[in-house]
Amino acid sequence: MSVLLKLADDIWLAEGEIVDFYGFPYPTRSVVVRLPDGGLWVWSPIALSAELKAQIEELGTPAHLVSPNKIHHLYLQDWKAAYPEARLWGPQSTISKRTDLEFEAPLENHSPQAWQGAFDQAWFHGSRFLDEIVFFHSQSETAILADMSENFSDEFLRKHWSGWKRWIARVWGIVEGKGYAPLEVRWSFLSRGPLRAARDKVLGWNPRRVIMAHGKWQDSDGRNYLARAFEWIG
């Protein structure tokens, strides 16, 4: 069975293992994009199993390993060890956290030239707790988010989260029908100007598809999904 799911030309999805995040089981997910020069761009790398590695190498060679925020960094060192020529990217918050690794210049509002025009990006910042880079793969009309939207299904929650944790998920709005960022993330954005600018930029992309790291991703009607998921921004 394939580990990689092809979404459109030059873009794939890989589902990873469930990890513990402060006592809450969280699924992991990665996106792989083939750039115009054939190199692979790997967003939020998941555990590099032998099966995944073999299928990745059928597509090409990872050239760019991308952390969208300081939470999504767990497997960077494993991928870098496997592909030492790959360049590491992330916001300054990730770079400051992973001082054991050597990164390129911090990601903010504009995609590096090294990505050959394949992406646009928006920097959600104004919080001391968490900032995040949200990406848009224009060729496939796909927006890619880490924790600025979480969209857990009732099926997943019933299987993996206990009753009181499911209650928290519903109260926080990180469930289907809302798809919000977690409550502590929302509360931490004391400066709303940059947040609204990033939200408007993302909605202006008019994405068809939305991939988030945690929860049920959207294969269509992506802009309407994100408009609802960002309602809390105001």
Side-chain angles (χ1 to χ4, degrees):
M1 182 177 296
S2 178
V3 178
L4 292 169
L5 171 66
K6 185 173 183 177
L7 301 177
D9 288 346
D10 297 325
I11 182 169
W12 295 263
L13 188 69
E15 302 286 1
E17 62 186 4
I18 293 176
V19 299
D20 179 86
F21 185 70
Y22 294 103
F24 289 78
Y26 265 68
T28 56
R29 175 178 290 155
S30 186
V31 175
V32 179
V33 172
R34 184 189 286 127
L35 298 178
D37 69 356
L40 300 182
W41 180 93
V42 184
W43 172 88
S44 188
I46 59 175
L48 188 58
S49 67
E51 293 82 3
L52 177 58
K53 188 173 187 292
Q55 290 179 29
I56 286 284
E57 291 173 0
E58 289 180 4
L59 304 179
T61 301
H64 304 277
L65 308 175
V66 183
S67 164
N69 67 39
K70 67 179 183 180
I71 298 174
H72 288 252
H73 67 91
L74 294 179
Y75 303 104
L76 289 176
Q77 68 282 345
D78 300 332
W79 285 71
K80 180 64 173 176
Y83 305 104
E85 299 303 314
R87 300 165 70 178
L88 293 174
W89 303 89
Q92 183 60 54
S93 53
T94 298
I95 296 171
S96 297
K97 186 169 186 174
R98 293 304 306 266
T99 56
D100 58 314
L101 297 173
E102 184 176 348
F103 286 81
E104 305 297 322
L107 297 175
E108 294 184 353
N109 272 312
H110 302 287
S111 295
Q113 291 184 356
W115 298 353
Q116 305 150 52
F119 298 94
D120 197 357
Q121 65 192 51
W123 182 25
F124 284 74
H125 62 110
S127 160
R128 291 186 178 182
F129 175 68
L130 187 76
D131 66 329
E132 179 175 318
I133 310 297
V134 172
F135 300 96
F136 181 61
H137 182 238
S138 55
Q139 177 181 315
S140 64
E141 301 177 277
T142 302
I144 307 169
L145 301 85
D147 297 296
M148 292 307 299
S149 173
E150 297 182 355
N151 194 45
F152 291 110
S153 68
D154 186 65
E155 178 183 5
F156 176 86
L157 292 175
R158 288 186 177 278
K159 183 175 181 180
H160 296 287
W161 289 28
S162 60
W164 69 272
K165 292 178 181 177
R166 293 197 299 271
W167 177 83
I168 286 177
R170 290 191 293 270
V171 170
W172 283 4
I174 57 174
V175 294
E176 286 190 88
K178 291 189 176 179
Y180 293 173
L183 187 61
E184 77 274 17
V185 173
R186 305 199 308 262
W187 280 356
S188 71
F189 278 92
L190 301 180
S191 178
R192 291 297 177 105
L195 186 62
R196 294 189 181 103
R199 182 268 318 273
D200 293 346
K201 185 176 185 180
V202 170
L203 295 181
W205 294 333
N206 193 27
R208 180 174 71 85
R209 181 184 294 108
V210 177
I211 306 296
M212 70 292 295
H214 315 295
K216 189 172 181 180
W217 58 276
Q218 308 298 297
D219 196 39
S220 62
D221 202 26
R223 189 188 187 282
N224 285 336
Y225 169 84
L226 288 175
R228 182 178 67 246
F230 293 153
E231 285 177 344
W232 60 272
I233 295 175

